[in-house]
C-alpha cells in the first residue's frame, strides 16, 4: 500500500458552493467498504468504494441507491442502499495534478497525424487523410459502419488510430457517503 499523502486542493471562491469547495480540500484515501462523496458545484452524490489497487493510487466506486426521507425540500435526509447493478467509476490519483480523476479510454485518429493533415490541407483534411489510408469514410473507422450509437467503438488501425487515456478531474472525499441537493436551486 502506498502511504504517501494524497492532498487534493480546490481553489476557494472560484466556483461552486463554499462548503463543497472546503470539503474538496482533503487528504482522504479510499478504503473498500467505506463511502465516498463526489462533490459537484453545490450538490453531492453518494458512492461506495468497491475496489482499491495495492498501491492505493486507483479505485473503483459505485453509485448508491438513495431514497429521500426528509420532511420537505431542504430537509436533506436520505437512506442508502448498495446496488451491484449501479454504475461504477474508475478513479486514479494523478501525482502531477494532485487530484483524483475518472479514467476512461477512447480510440481516436492519431492527434499528431490529424494536426499534420489539417496544417497541410485545412478544412476537409480528415477526408483526405482517410483516403490516403484506403478508408471510404469516417464511418468506416468504426467496428460497425452502419451503427449509429454511442457504443460503436472506433477500431485501432495501425498508423491511423490510437487508444488514448482520458483523465477528468473529480472532486471527492473518501470515508463519507453523502447525498445532498442544494435547496437554493
Amino acid at each position: 500500500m502506498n502511504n504517501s499523502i494524497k492532498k487534493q486542493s480546490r481553489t476557494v471562491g472560484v466556483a461552486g458552493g463554499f462548503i463543497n469547495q472546503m470539503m474538496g480540500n482533503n487528504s482522504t484515501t479510499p478504503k473498500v467498504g467505506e463511502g465516498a462523496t463526489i462533490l459537484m458545484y453545490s450538490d453531492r452524490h453518494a458512492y461506495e468504494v468497491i475496489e482499491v489497487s495495492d498501491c492505493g493510487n486507483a479505485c473503483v466506486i459505485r453509485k448508491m441507491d438513495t431514497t429521500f426521507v426528509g420532511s420537505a425540500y431542504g430537509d436533506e435526509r436520505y437512506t442508502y442502499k448498495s446496488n451491484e447493478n449501479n454504475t461504477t467509476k474508475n478513479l486514479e490519483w494523478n501525482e502531477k495534478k494532485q487530484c483524483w480523476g475518472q479514467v476512461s479510454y477512447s480510440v481516436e485518429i492519431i492527434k499528431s497525424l490529424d494536426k499534420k493533415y489539417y496544417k497541410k490541407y485545412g478544412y476537409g483534411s480528415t477526408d483526405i487523410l482517410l483516403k490516403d489510408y484506403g478508408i471510404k469514410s469516417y464511418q468506416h473507422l468504426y467496428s460497425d459502419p452502419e451503427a449509429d450509437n454511442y457504443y460503436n467503438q472506433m477500431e485501432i488501425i495501425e498508423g491511423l488510430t490510437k487508444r488514448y487515456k482520458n483523465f477528468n478531474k473529480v472532486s471527492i472525499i473518501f470515508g463519507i457517503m453523502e447525498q445532498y441537493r442544494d435547496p437554493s436551486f
Side-chain angles (χ1 to χ4, degrees), residues 95-162:
E95 191 65 38
K96 184 177 177 182
K97 295 178 182 180
Q98 291 291 294
C99 66
W100 287 93
Q102 185 173 356
V103 175
S104 62
Y105 295 90
S106 61
V107 177
E108 303 171 34
I109 293 175
I110 297 171
K111 292 175 183 179
S112 60
L113 182 63
D114 198 30
K115 283 181 185 178
K116 179 181 163 186
Y117 268 75
Y118 184 80
K119 188 175 181 179
K120 186 173 182 179
Y121 300 106
Y123 183 76
S125 60
T126 305
D127 292 334
I128 297 166
L129 171 62
L130 296 177
K131 285 180 184 167
D132 286 354
Y133 278 82
I135 309 291
K136 289 181 185 179
S137 69
Y138 199 79
Q139 280 179 291
H140 287 86
L141 290 173
Y142 292 86
S143 52
D144 182 359
E146 303 302 317
D148 185 25
N149 60 49
Y150 177 77
Y151 302 102
N152 193 10
Q153 296 295 313
M154 194 180 281
E155 292 187 62
I156 295 179
I157 301 169
E158 187 67 35
L160 179 61
T161 59
K162 177 180 172 183

Side-chain angles (χ1 to χ4, degrees), residues 2-14:
N2 185 354
N3 291 328
S4 67
I5 296 174
K6 296 169 180 60
K7 176 71 175 147
Q8 303 177 84
S9 62
R10 283 182 69 171
T11 306
V12 177
V14 175

Side-chain angles (χ1 to χ4, degrees), residues 20-129:
N20 282 8
Q21 290 177 23
M22 296 304 292
M23 287 174 70
N25 294 317
N26 69 74
S27 55
T28 59
T29 55
K31 293 179 183 81
V32 173
E34 289 190 358
T37 302
I38 291 186
L39 309 166
M40 306 304 282
Y41 187 82
S42 58
D43 293 351
R44 299 180 201 101
H45 298 285
Y47 285 80
E48 64 183 324
V49 179
I50 57 172
E51 244 177 75
V52 177
S53 66
D54 291 338
C55 66
N57 287 336
C59 68
V60 179
I61 60 173
R62 180 173 49 220
K63 185 87 171 96
M64 294 293 288
D65 283 344
T66 58
T67 305
F68 176 72
V69 294
S71 59
Y73 195 68
D75 177 5
E76 291 299 308
R77 289 181 291 152
Y78 294 86
T79 60
Y80 303 95
K81 185 178 177 191
S82 182
N83 183 341
E84 290 183 9
N85 297 320
N86 283 353
T87 59
T88 60
K89 294 181 184 282
N90 297 316
L91 303 179
E92 283 184 11
W93 175 255
N94 185 305
E95 191 65 38
K96 184 177 177 182
K97 295 178 182 180
Q98 291 291 294
C99 66
W100 287 93
Q102 185 173 356
V103 175
S104 62
Y105 295 90
S106 61
V107 177
E108 303 171 34
I109 293 175
I110 297 171
K111 292 175 183 179
S112 60
L113 182 63
D114 198 30
K115 283 181 185 178
K116 179 181 163 186
Y117 268 75
Y118 184 80
K119 188 175 181 179
K120 186 173 182 179
Y121 300 106
Y123 183 76
S125 60
T126 305
D127 292 334
I128 297 166
L129 171 62

Side-chain angles (χ1 to χ4, degrees), residues 159-172:
L160 179 61
T161 59
K162 177 180 172 183
R163 186 173 189 240
Y164 287 96
K165 181 178 181 177
N166 305 301
F167 181 89
N168 295 309
K169 185 176 181 177
V170 172
S171 185
I172 190 165

